[in-house]
């Protein structure tokens, strides 16, 4: 027993937490991902990541509020608003827009010591993206300083390319905030036509083993597909396919440990934001999966509450082209037609 304990304690900490490891084991990739992760997941940013963040006009952030609800947010400014004075530090000279729950969480009276953020830097013109797990070390009225816990690159699958333009905020209507508890008709319409959204997840590091603390906390990730890949089941529930990915299972690993999620939808043409938080139900095996091209599994999102932030962004995006990977996947309309055709054959 003593020999085993000494041997275990001498092993380097895993780059994956318990939830991620559980799913990797479920699909038989645990050992391979441990070897891969130990090479590519770092506790600092390589030089190319530092340079990458400095050229972005926006970045996405995931966090959990004081009640434990995850939210996904967007921070933006002119390129250069993100700087990295050293491989462990990221300075973001921007604050959340009015109505963003992250703004409330960053208030001095709300901010907890070492508040965790998950960050996603994504360049929609090139499909390049990198991710960070970090914690807040200080903040002011102008920005946030973060210390990096983990840094790694992400594959560009399912990212639609878009050109972005920043408008003069002074020429735009004043932003307005509306709280919602269900999907209203405007929300249903935006979700149904969306080809992109962002999902935040969170686990409390106190609930997990001490050797994987760097991979815990908050995460935010991109999800993409063809318009119609998200099904609005009713005013409370969405059903979403999960496609083949990089086997990190960062998002689903968090879901296994904590079934709460935050979703962010952007109306790329108007600058409206729909931000939601609620609970998740993973459907590992569903007869519907076989009818949906590209789906490995499904998950449902049940809204608890959310906000419309109309005219929240001075950014506008123009669709360039769909990801080749997205074009290989299906929509719920197509899946329904396939299911109906099979049912007729069985009659």
């Amino acid at each position: 027993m003593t020999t085993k304990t000494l041997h275990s304690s001498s092993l380097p900490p895993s780059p994956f937490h318990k939830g991620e490891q559980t799913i990797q084991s479920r699909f038989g990739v645990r050992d391979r991902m441990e070897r891969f992760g130990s090479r590519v997941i770092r506790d600092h940013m390589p030089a190319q990541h530092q340079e990458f963040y400095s050229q972005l006009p926006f970045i996405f952030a995931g966090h959990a509020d004081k009640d434990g609800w995850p939210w996904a947010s967007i921070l933006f400014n002119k390129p250069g608003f993100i700087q990295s004075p050293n491989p462990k530090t990221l300075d973001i000279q921007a604050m959340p827009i009015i109505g963003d729950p992250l703004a409330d969480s960053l208030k001095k009276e709300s901010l907890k010591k070492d508040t965790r953020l998950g960050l996603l830097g994504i360049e929609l013109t090139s499909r390049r993206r990198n991710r960070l797990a970090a914690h807040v070390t200080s903040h002011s009225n102008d920005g946030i300083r973060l210390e990096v816990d983990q840094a790694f690159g992400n594959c560009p699958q399912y990212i639609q390319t878009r050109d972005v333009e920043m408008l003069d905020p002074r020429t735009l209507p004043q932003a307005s905030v509306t709280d919602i508890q269900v999907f209203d008709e405007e929300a249903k319409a935006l979700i149904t036509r969306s080809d992109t959204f962002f999902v935040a997840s969170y686990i409390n590091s106190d609930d997990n083993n001490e050797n994987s603390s760097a991979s815990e906390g908050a995460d935010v990730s991109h999800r993409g597909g063809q318009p119609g890949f998200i099904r609005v089941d009713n005013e409370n529930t969405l059903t979403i396919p999960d496609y083949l990915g990089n086997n990190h299972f960062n998002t689903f690993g968090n879901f296994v440990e904590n079934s709460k999620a935050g979703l962010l939808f952007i109306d790329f043409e108007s600058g409206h934001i729909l931000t939601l938080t609620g609970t998740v139900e993973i459907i590992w095996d569903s007869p519907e999966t076989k009818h949906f091209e590209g789906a490995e599994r499904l998950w449902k999102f049940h809204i608890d509450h959310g906000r419309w932030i109309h005219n929240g962004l001075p950014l506008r995006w123009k669709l360039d082209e769909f990801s080749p990977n997205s074009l290989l996947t299906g929509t719920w309309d197509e899946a329904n037609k396939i299911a109906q055709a099979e049912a007729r054959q069985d009659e």
Side-chain angles (χ1 to χ4, degrees), residues 19-199:
E20 295 162 335
Q21 293 171 2
T22 296
I23 303 179
Q24 290 167 0
S25 296
R26 180 188 183 106
F27 293 107
V29 297
R30 176 77 195 98
D31 291 342
R32 174 162 61 87
M33 290 309 301
E34 190 67 29
R35 294 191 297 271
F36 177 76
S38 65
R39 296 196 307 270
V40 303
I41 300 176
R42 307 172 178 89
D43 64 357
H44 64 279
M45 291 174 287
Q48 61 178 343
H49 286 204
Q50 293 177 270
E51 181 182 354
F52 170 73
Y53 288 114
S54 70
Q55 65 192 30
L56 297 177
F58 56 85
I59 192 169
F60 293 92
H63 89 289
D65 65 19
K66 62 182 178 61
D67 297 316
W69 290 107
W71 298 90
S73 305
I74 182 172
L75 301 170
F76 59 90
N77 211 328
K78 294 180 180 179
F81 82 103
I82 304 174
Q83 294 292 323
S84 176
N86 60 67
K88 287 286 291 183
T89 303
L90 199 71
D91 291 328
I92 302 177
Q93 293 301 304
M95 291 298 288
I97 61 174
I98 294 173
D100 188 330
L102 180 58
D104 296 330
S105 296
L106 289 176
K107 292 178 180 177
K108 288 185 178 180
E109 61 271 22
S110 302
L111 189 67
K112 298 178 182 178
K113 186 179 185 297
D114 293 337
T115 292
R116 299 289 190 100
L117 294 185
L119 295 170
L120 171 65
I122 186 167
E123 190 175 62
L124 294 181
T125 54
S126 67
R127 296 194 177 99
R128 184 181 174 192
R129 61 175 170 172
N130 291 311
R131 285 163 75 169
L132 287 177
H135 60 274
V136 177
T137 56
S138 64
H139 82 291
S140 66
N141 293 332
D142 300 318
I144 311 164
R145 169 160 283 195
L146 299 162
E147 182 174 328
V148 175
D149 298 311
Q150 280 192 337
F152 53 99
N154 256 179
C155 57
Q157 298 184 84
Y158 315 111
I159 298 176
Q160 281 55 269
T161 56
R162 282 183 159 87
D163 297 318
V164 63
E165 178 185 9
M166 184 172 289
L167 306 180
D168 184 346
R170 296 171 297 181
T171 67
L172 302 176
Q174 185 175 357
S176 63
V177 181
T178 304
D179 291 331
I180 60 174
Q181 279 73 47
V182 297
F183 304 125
D184 57 23
E185 292 306 312
E186 185 181 8
K188 291 178 182 178
L190 175 60
I191 293 168
T192 299
R193 69 175 183 266
S194 290
D195 59 61
T196 297
F197 73 96
F198 300 88
V199 52

Side-chain angles (χ1 to χ4, degrees), residues 309-324:
I309 308 176
H310 289 100
N311 304 308
L313 295 176
L315 302 173
R316 301 291 185 272
W317 289 264
K318 182 179 180 182
L319 179 65
D320 179 24
E321 64 177 7
F322 279 90
S323 162

